[in-house]
Amino acid sequence: MKSKILNLLVVLTSLVGFLEWGETNQLFLVQVEAEIILKLFKNPSSALHPFVILPLIAQLLLLFTLFQPKPNKILTFIGIALLTLLLGFMFIIGVISLNIKIICSSIPFLITAVLTVRHYTDKNSKQKSQTN
C-alpha cells in the first residue's frame, strides 16, 4: 500500500511544478498539461516535443502502477526518471535564475522521488537478505 501512495504522491507533486517566463507568463504544470492534452486532440503535431510527451508518458505509467496489485518497480523507476528530466531541469533553472517560486515548486517532487526510490530499493534489499 505504501508503494501506491508514494507513486500517487510522485504524480501529484509533479503537477505543482511552477513555470515562469518573461514578465507576465506563469503557469503550473497541471495547467500546461491540460492545454497540451487539448492540443493533442486538435493539432497533435504542435504538442509533439520530448519535454511535453515524456512527462505525460511518465505520469500515465505511474498512474497505471496504481491499478496493479503490486506496483511494478521498473515502471515506477522509468516514470520517475522521465519526470525528473523536466522537474530536475526546472529546479536547475530556478537555482540559476534565483527564482524561489520555481525552486520551491520542484522540491516536493524531488524529495518524493528520492523517498520513493529509497522505498523500492530498501524493500528489494530487505527481501534479498531474508532469502539468504
Side-chain angles (χ1 to χ4, degrees):
M1 186 62 162
K2 186 176 181 180
S3 301
K4 288 185 180 189
I5 292 170
L6 286 169
N7 284 10
L8 179 63
L9 286 174
V10 168
V11 172
L12 293 176
T13 56
S14 73
L15 294 174
V16 297
F18 184 75
L19 300 165
E20 187 173 49
W21 65 101
E23 299 267 334
T24 59
N25 299 317
Q26 50 190 346
L27 289 171
F28 285 97
L29 281 180
V30 69
Q31 295 169 306
V32 173
E33 286 186 9
E35 288 181 20
I36 289 168
I37 290 170
L38 291 174
K39 279 185 181 180
L40 280 173
F41 292 112
K42 292 178 183 176
N43 185 7
S45 64
S46 69
L48 294 177
H49 187 278
F51 272 117
V52 171
I53 297 300
L54 293 178
L56 281 175
I57 291 171
Q59 288 173 336
L60 291 174
L61 284 174
L62 289 167
L63 287 174
F64 176 74
T65 65
L66 298 178
F67 297 104
Q68 296 178 318
K70 180 182 173 194
N72 187 311
K73 181 172 77 168
I74 300 298
L75 291 179
T76 300
F77 287 164
I78 291 170
I80 289 173
L82 293 175
L83 280 171
T84 302
L85 289 173
L86 177 63
L87 284 141
F89 189 59
M90 286 172 48
F91 178 77
I92 291 169
I93 289 170
V95 169
I96 290 171
S97 64
L98 298 175
N99 189 323
I100 196 74
K101 293 178 199 173
I102 295 174
I103 294 169
C104 290
S105 73
S106 56
I107 286 177
F109 167 79
L110 296 173
I111 290 171
T112 307
V114 168
L115 291 175
T116 303
V117 169
R118 287 188 63 199
H119 166 73
Y120 279 99
T121 56
D122 288 346
K123 190 168 128 180
N124 191 28
S125 64
K126 285 179 188 176
Q127 287 175 350
K128 283 184 181 178
S129 66
Q130 288 176 355
T131 58
N132 290 333

